[in-house]
Amino acid sequence: MQPAPKIPDGPPVPVEARCVRLLAKAENVGSIAPVVELRTLTRAPTELLIEVKAAAVNPSDVKAATGLMPYAVFPRTPGRDYAGIVIDGPPGWIGREVFGSSGDLGIRRDGTHATHLVVETEAVVDKPRSISWEEVAGIGVPFVTAMEGLRRAGLPKPGETVLVMGVNGKVGQAAVQIATWHGARAIGVVRRSEAYEGHSNSPVEVIDASATDVVARVRELTSGKGADIVYNTVGDPYFQAAHKSLALRGRQILIAAVDRIVQFNILEFYRGQHTYVGIDTLGLSSVATGAVLRELAPGFAGGHLKPFPIKANAVYPLEQAKDAFVTVAGSSRDRVVLLPR
């Protein structure tokens, strides 16, 4: 049940928003120089004006600020993920608590690192009441990336095995949550000795790649079959191990790269009847991203999926946006969030 409208619906009204602004491409992370400016926002008839309660900072926000995404526009307000309250919109929308994410917000158009945001009505998802503003703002990019990969590869079925390379990264943890929600078995790979850090709906076997032959251990754990899906969140460093760990008709999902070129055994690929799936959520519009999040919503409502914990030292005001960007660029495992007020 959504809260009752706080003000009557009516024609779009402008609002003065405080926005983080990136005025030009930075040469490196240290030279990112965001400023906070006042900007007037007005929605179109089919859009919503949202008072932003929290907005996450993603690695892609930092990369776009330093010119690693040539299609990023300047000047702009960064930010892809958000959570907030609708304060202006079509009939029935005002007062609703919502969240969302996007592949174009904060990259090709003004984004979420602001007190207010304008976005399409089809882009938002109702906020689960049991999740805080900070937590729900941190769901977006990692869970959308994980879910889009598994959707494209074919959602795992009960009894299937999902091998997650880089299991303690945020996308890796989201992939484990989704896979085990759907009844699959999850195996994780880490680069040094450590336990799985995230939520799961069933036990997660962890393989330490620094001390164990990953392929041999995967075959041992699956009685020789291999993994039905390999979610490779790291890219080329694990490409061969992922390839050789695949079961017959297995699927490898790829979302990242360190070096772009890898050795590829075509014979093993076609004889194994394998499928490779590439995922780039920057190609998803706000509306398309909203559709993915709506598929995930029942998992959060039912407790099968859980947001990432937000630590107090990973929360920043808009005026400290640069500090937040530097923290994310430093490979922090914490989910970093901006609080506009």
Side-chain angles (χ1 to χ4, degrees), residues 179-205:
T180 56
W181 173 35
H182 284 82
R185 175 192 186 186
I187 301 172
V189 175
V190 293
R191 62 181 179 180
R192 58 180 180 272
S193 180
E194 60 183 8
Y196 174 61
E197 296 177 352
H199 168 70
S200 176
N201 299 282
S202 58
V204 180
E205 176 84 22

Side-chain angles (χ1 to χ4, degrees), residues 62-76:
V62 180
K63 292 176 182 177
T66 55
L68 295 181
M69 297 173 186
Y71 42 80
V73 300
F74 294 93
R76 74 173 186 287

Side-chain angles (χ1 to χ4, degrees), residues 251-262:
R251 299 92 84 190
Q252 180 177 180
I253 304 165
L254 293 152
I255 67 167
V258 180
D259 292 326
R260 301 182 182 186
I261 307 301
V262 297

Side-chain angles (χ1 to χ4, degrees), residues 156-173:
K157 300 178 179 62
E160 287 194 318
T161 298
V162 177
L163 177 67
V164 182
M165 306 293 206
V167 73
N168 276 330
K170 291 297 180 276
V171 176
Q173 291 183 33

Side-chain angles (χ1 to χ4, degrees), residues 113-248:
H113 295 169
T115 57
H116 298 80
L117 168 71
V118 173
V119 71
E120 302 91 333
T121 56
E122 298 93 341
V124 303
V125 181
D126 290 327
K127 171 188 172 293
R129 287 184 172 272
S130 60
I131 302 178
S132 73
W133 288 114
E134 294 88 346
E135 289 172 334
V136 78
I139 287 173
V141 169
F143 274 93
V144 169
T145 303
M147 184 61 170
E148 181 67 5
L150 293 171
R151 288 174 70 202
R152 290 266 313 280
L155 286 170
K157 300 178 179 62
E160 287 194 318
T161 298
V162 177
L163 177 67
V164 182
M165 306 293 206
V167 73
N168 276 330
K170 291 297 180 276
V171 176
Q173 291 183 33
V176 166
Q177 291 198 39
I178 297 167
T180 56
W181 173 35
H182 284 82
R185 175 192 186 186
I187 301 172
V189 175
V190 293
R191 62 181 179 180
R192 58 180 180 272
S193 180
E194 60 183 8
Y196 174 61
E197 296 177 352
H199 168 70
S200 176
N201 299 282
S202 58
V204 180
E205 176 84 22
V206 177
I207 301 172
D208 175 7
S210 69
T212 306
D213 183 310
V214 172
V215 177
R217 183 59 178 156
V218 170
R219 295 292 173 183
E220 180 182 1
L221 290 171
T222 59
S223 302
K225 176 186 175 183
D228 300 286
I229 297 175
V230 177
Y231 208 120
N232 186 347
T233 73
V234 181
D236 49 282
Y238 284 135
F239 181 84
Q240 287 299 333
H243 171 73
K244 292 183 178 298
S245 295
L246 284 170
L248 182 68

Side-chain angles (χ1 to χ4, degrees), residues 303-317:
H304 303 288
L305 304 179
K306 295 185 182 297
F308 305 112
I310 306 298
K311 297 180 181 178
N313 62 359
V315 177
Y316 298 82

